[in-house]
Amino acid sequence: MELAELIGLRPVPCGGLLVALTRRCPMSCAHCSTGSSMAAAEEPDAGHLLRFLGSFGTEDRPEVVMLTGGEPLLLPELAARLAGVARAAGSRVALLSGMFFAREGRVPDRIMRAVTALDHFSASMDVHHEREVPRAQVLRALRAVLDAGIPASVHLTGTGPDDPYLADAVADVRRAFAGRVPLLVNEVRPLGRAAGLVRETPAGPDGSRATPCTLAAWPVVAFDGTVAACCNQWTVDRRPVPPHLRLGHIAEDDWQAVRERSLGSPVLRMLRSVGPQRLHARHASAPAPAGYCRSCHALADRPEVLAGAARDAGGRVGELLDRLTTRQQLAAGPADLVRRMGCARYAHLVEAVPGREESGR
Ligand code: SF4
Ligand code: SF4
């Protein structure tokens, strides 16, 4: 599975499932949005995870499962077992790693066994990671992954389109793999990186414009086993999760229950179709709080807006609206999605562009 296909599925409701395997991570990046460290012990119960992924049906499953953290490769045996279970139902499995293991420029056997159980492997790189694991070693380890036959990509994060670090790293990755390894380039945002796409959907100034929330499409298994409706880090970490953003818990729910709640929820349909601020503008008796996700969380205290969403999107019309929005985003393609939510200058690199010179420098 290549990166473009994976990102292309991002707007599909329940087309993917994000699983945070552990909050632990041996790196210490200053910008870490998941609050990860080796002291952060939180992780979902392995038995619950295996049971939850085991509930996928061949006709009722996410197309892709993305294993994230923290650092998911601190648990390579569990990652491989989960990949085996999900793939048995027909899902494909990707994993995003901070590459802590690559300090020697190689992939240790224990890690390689997990990597070869995947359909896609993504290496996360940024200026903080590079202080701990040099770029050359990461690229060498990535070469070993490709040589093992596993499609790979690089997730790069920088401060913005003019960040010289991004230009330099993009050029290096393209040179090292002759443009054959795609890149997802993001700008640092105060949101979870688990999504692979980290920017909030920009909102209209007064909610008069529909600004669909693409991140409300894939459920997320959080560090305590709660299943949240989106990967916004505030949603993933806040307890209790606002009811309209809580889809269940892996200890008691199966994939079918989570999927039904996500697809059938009028408020999630409206968030995916028009975004939270448009919803407030349409139904609220008081102005929405500033901020896209803040206004979404505030819906929990706005029963009149939730009731309005239920009227608008509770039935067949809401289902159709959801489908139409998905279809429009699918038609626009993965590069368009990255242009909106990642770093627009490098959006085209989400697809491998062999031999093409990098023009962003
Ligand atoms: S590698 Fe990722 S999860 Fe680990 S500390 Fe850095 S940003 Fe956080
Ligand atoms: S708008 Fe709501 S559903 Fe979308 S990312 Fe923000 S908190 Fe999550």
Side-chain angles (χ1 to χ4, degrees), residues 3 5 28 33 83 85 94 102 106-107 117 135 149 180 194-195 206 216 232 237 250 258 287 298 311 316 319-320 359:
L3 179 68
E5 189 186 357
S28 45
S33 59
V85 168
R106 52 180 286 276
V107 183
R135 186 185 306 169
R180 289 190 177 83
D206 56 0
N232 168 276
D237 284 340
I250 57 168
V258 162
R311 281 194 303 277
R316 184 105 181 97
E319 205 179 304
L320 286 174
S359 58

Side-chain angles (χ1 to χ4, degrees), residues 44-354:
D45 179 86
H48 292 162
L49 275 177
L50 286 161
R51 193 192 61 82
F52 185 71
L53 270 62
S55 72
F56 294 175
T58 48
E59 302 295 322
D60 185 0
R61 54 171 170 75
E63 275 302 316
V64 63
V65 175
M66 181 113 192
L67 305 177
T68 70
E71 174 50 68
L73 286 175
L74 285 177
L75 298 167
E77 288 81 15
L78 178 60
R81 282 184 73 193
L82 291 170
V85 168
R87 294 178 85 199
S91 297
R92 283 165 298 167
V93 182
L95 182 146
L96 175 64
S97 170
M99 305 299 284
F100 73 100
F101 56 83
R103 289 188 175 105
E104 313 294 323
R106 52 180 286 276
V107 183
D109 291 348
R110 194 171 158 233
I111 303 276
M112 190 53 110
R113 278 194 288 277
V115 171
T116 50
L118 303 170
D119 297 281
H120 188 90
F121 178 83
S122 296
S124 183
M125 276 173 50
D126 61 46
V127 77
H128 302 285
H129 290 65
E130 291 203 25
R131 284 192 199 115
E132 300 189 57
V133 186
R135 186 185 306 169
Q137 312 295 58
V138 169
L139 298 185
R140 211 166 290 151
L142 213 48
R143 167 71 62 199
V145 170
L146 290 168
D147 288 347
I150 306 303
S153 60
V154 172
H155 288 208
L156 261 185
T157 304
T159 55
D162 300 323
D163 183 349
Y165 166 77
L166 282 183
D168 188 59
V170 163
D172 245 10
V173 172
R174 289 182 52 71
R175 206 164 24 237
F177 300 106
R180 289 190 177 83
V181 168
L183 293 108
L184 176 62
V185 183
N186 276 311
E187 298 169 18
V188 177
R189 304 276 155 182
L191 286 164
R193 71 185 184 95
L197 286 171
V198 297
R199 180 185 284 189
E200 289 183 352
T201 306
D206 56 0
S208 58
R209 191 157 54 83
T211 50
C213 177
T214 308
L215 300 189
W218 289 10
V220 179
V221 178
F223 298 112
D224 63 354
T226 299
V227 187
C230 75
C231 61
N232 168 276
Q233 201 60 43
W234 190 31
T235 308
V236 170
D237 284 340
R238 186 177 170 190
R239 294 294 173 274
V241 178
H244 64 289
L245 297 175
R246 189 182 189 279
L247 296 176
H249 194 286
I250 57 168
E252 54 214 32
D253 294 303
D254 57 17
W255 168 253
Q256 286 72 28
V258 162
R259 183 175 174 276
E260 273 170 34
R261 284 175 199 144
S262 175
L263 298 188
S265 158
V267 67
L268 289 179
R269 288 174 177 171
M270 291 302 279
L271 288 170
R272 290 189 288 255
S273 302
V274 301
Q277 293 178 319
R278 181 82 188 96
L279 246 186
H280 277 277
R282 189 164 156 74
H283 297 293
S285 45
Y292 191 78
C293 291
R294 190 165 293 279
S295 71
C296 177
H297 276 235
L299 290 171
D301 302 317
R302 300 285 177 96
E304 77 280 15
V305 186
L306 296 176
R311 281 194 303 277
D312 286 349
R316 184 105 181 97
V317 171
E319 205 179 304
L320 286 174
L321 191 64
D322 211 4
R323 274 201 207 142
L324 187 65
T325 311
T326 305
R327 203 174 303 154
Q328 280 168 347
Q329 294 188 59
L330 283 176
D336 179 79
L337 189 67
V338 183
R339 217 165 279 126
R340 284 192 289 119
M341 301 178 67
C343 184
R345 171 173 289 184
Y346 300 106
H348 61 288
L349 298 176
V350 72
E351 305 196 54
V353 193

